[in-house]
Amino acid sequence: MEFGGGYGSLCRIVHKLGFQGRYVIFDLPEFAALQKFYLGLLGSPLVPEKEASPGDPGILCTSELPELDAATRNEATRGIFIATWSLSETGESLREHVVTLPGIESAAAYLIAYQRDFGGVDNPRFFDEWRASKPGIHWVHSEIAHMPGNYYLFGRRVEH
């Protein structure tokens, strides 16, 4: 699941590398339309929102929270949650809602990039608290050398 997918290029790359499962992109309506257009031009396996069944392969581009919840629910413990700068640029109420969705709360892996401050929000505090709430995840946190004040946060579910 990708939160804030830009125009869809990461999705394109993941599919070029051979991924054939469900890929969900959640974004603003204008970006969801752009992703559908771009990925559609490439012949990518788009799934219309109204025809999306959880777990079916294909790409779902949506801006609806109920669709996101339904689409990610079956990905629990095996999916990946990707948010490159998008989550840290989102209002606190929406980000709190998104990170507590069952399919995201229990993802198998996380790839997040964020900036120290955006719109007065203390992003390091948010991500530190969020990491602390997920003890079953092994985290690697590092500042991006060529972008001071920006960080990568990688997480992987620890097998017992």
Side-chain angles (χ1 to χ4, degrees), residues 49-131:
E49 287 181 77
K50 303 297 182 216
E51 298 173 23
S53 296
D56 287 349
I59 301 166
L60 174 64
C61 302
T62 186
S63 57
E64 301 293 327
L65 282 171
E67 296 287 336
L68 174 65
D69 182 30
T72 60
R73 189 170 296 275
N74 288 349
E75 299 303 313
T77 70
R78 61 184 177 161
I80 183 171
F81 178 65
I82 301 168
T84 54
W85 288 277
S86 54
L87 194 59
S88 64
E89 296 176 357
T90 300
E92 290 180 88
S93 61
L94 177 58
R95 89 168 63 171
E96 289 288 346
H97 180 81
V98 168
V99 299
T100 59
L101 289 172
I104 292 161
E105 178 69 22
S106 61
Y110 299 86
L111 165 57
I112 297 171
Y114 70 95
Q115 66 272 56
R116 181 179 298 127
D117 178 71
F118 186 84
V121 175
D122 182 356
N123 284 316
R125 179 196 52 79
F126 171 81
F127 287 106
D128 286 347
E129 290 175 3
W130 185 59
R131 282 188 305 163

Side-chain angles (χ1 to χ4, degrees), residues 85 114 116 141-152 154:
W85 288 277
Y114 70 95
R116 181 179 298 127
H141 183 260
S142 81
E143 187 166 15
I144 301 172
H146 66 281
M147 296 175 69
N150 288 266
Y151 305 88
Y152 283 125
F154 300 99

